[in-house]
Amino acid sequence: ETGVTQSPTHLIKTRGQQVTLRCSSQSGHNTVSWYQQALGQGPQFIFQYYREEENGRGNFPPRFSGLQFPNYSSELNVNALELDDSALYLCASRQGEHTEAFFGQGTRLTVV
Amino acid sequence: QQQVKQSPQSLIVQKGGISIINCAYENTAFDYFPWYQQFPGKGPALLIAIRPDVSEKKEGRFTISFNKSAKQFSLHIMDSQPGDSATYFCAASKYRMLTFGGGTRLMVKP
């Protein structure tokens, strides 16, 4: 196990609703990244937080937002859910720029 | 945009054989090239990684070959085992923001 835990593991939401996904980083890791993995595809980078500040963002609309807390845990919020938002959402944490990223097991989000 | 292209999409290898997965990238600013293994229901796990100033890196049965001029890199799995059956992703990163390939589903037959 990587020490990165995500909750919930599965979630079903209705189109138009809002969702919050949570990630607890591995102890001592100050950087967290979020990825979206559609079925049968590679993960796509959403954004990254370093010491509570967003320091990188992929090609995702503003309705995808995030937070990192002083204890380095993190949230991913998605507003106005669309059917195409159905995917596995992965959180990865690391300590510093030149270190390995450890992934959690992901949250499977289904939008109906 | 697909900045990292991975092939093949699927691969079947006999036990003991060599599995080879290839990736090509476009952005010359990438400075770190990891390979990840993912089992169903799990997050990706780092297998091996290389920097562009090295042409080859070997760790156990896993070897990365890197060709900077061609902007290509590949993963070789020697003596493939049924337990290696999983999906493999190459990735490239700048500032450790990973861009993943589309994945290769490897099946190793006993």
Side-chain angles (χ1 to χ4, degrees), chain A:
Chain A
E1 298 301 321
T2 64
V4 179
T5 57
Q6 293 185 241
S7 62
T9 54
H10 296 83
L11 197 55
I12 299 175
K13 287 286 190 178
T14 302
R15 188 173 51 182
Q17 285 187 316
Q18 179 265 343
V19 69
T20 297
L21 310 182
R22 294 178 174 83
C23 173
S24 177
S25 303
Q26 186 166 338
S27 178
H29 285 190
N30 56 18
T31 302
V32 66
S33 306
W34 285 91
Y35 292 81
Q36 179 195 66
Q37 186 177 20
L39 199 61
Q41 297 183 22
Q44 298 289 315
F45 174 72
I46 302 174
F47 45 58
Q48 176 171 282
Y49 280 81
Y50 172 69
R51 294 186 174 179
E52 303 176 59
E53 297 281 335
E54 183 182 299
N55 72 344
R57 188 175 184 93
N59 189 25
F60 281 80
R63 59 189 184 85
F64 285 78
S65 63
L67 280 174
Q68 187 182 30
F69 299 100
N71 66 354
Y72 301 138
S73 65
S74 177
E75 287 183 354
L76 164 66
N77 299 288
V78 187
N79 293 321
L81 283 167
E82 301 177 0
L83 297 179
D84 285 349
D85 295 334
S86 296
L88 181 69
Y89 288 85
L90 295 161
C91 164
S93 76
R94 57 185 170 83
Q95 173 60 22
E97 182 178 333
H98 299 289
T99 59
E100 174 188 347
F102 292 89
F103 282 84
Q105 83 284 0
T107 293
R108 172 72 63 187
L109 172 65
T110 302
V111 182
V112 298

Side-chain angles (χ1 to χ4, degrees), chain B residues 24-78:
Chain B
Y25 64 97
E26 299 171 4
N27 187 349
T28 55
F30 289 137
D31 60 2
Y32 175 70
F33 299 87
W35 284 88
Y36 286 86
Q37 178 189 57
Q38 186 176 30
F39 292 103
K42 301 288 187 181
L46 179 69
L47 265 181
I48 185 172
I50 198 168
R51 295 191 180 278
D53 53 349
V54 176
S55 62
E56 186 175 281
K57 183 176 181 180
K58 183 176 181 179
E59 289 184 359
R61 296 185 294 111
F62 301 95
T63 299
I64 299 179
S65 296
F66 188 85
N67 185 329
K68 187 175 181 178
S69 61
K71 294 188 286 185
Q72 295 176 348
F73 57 112
S74 61
L75 176 69
H76 291 61
I77 306 174
M78 312 299 287

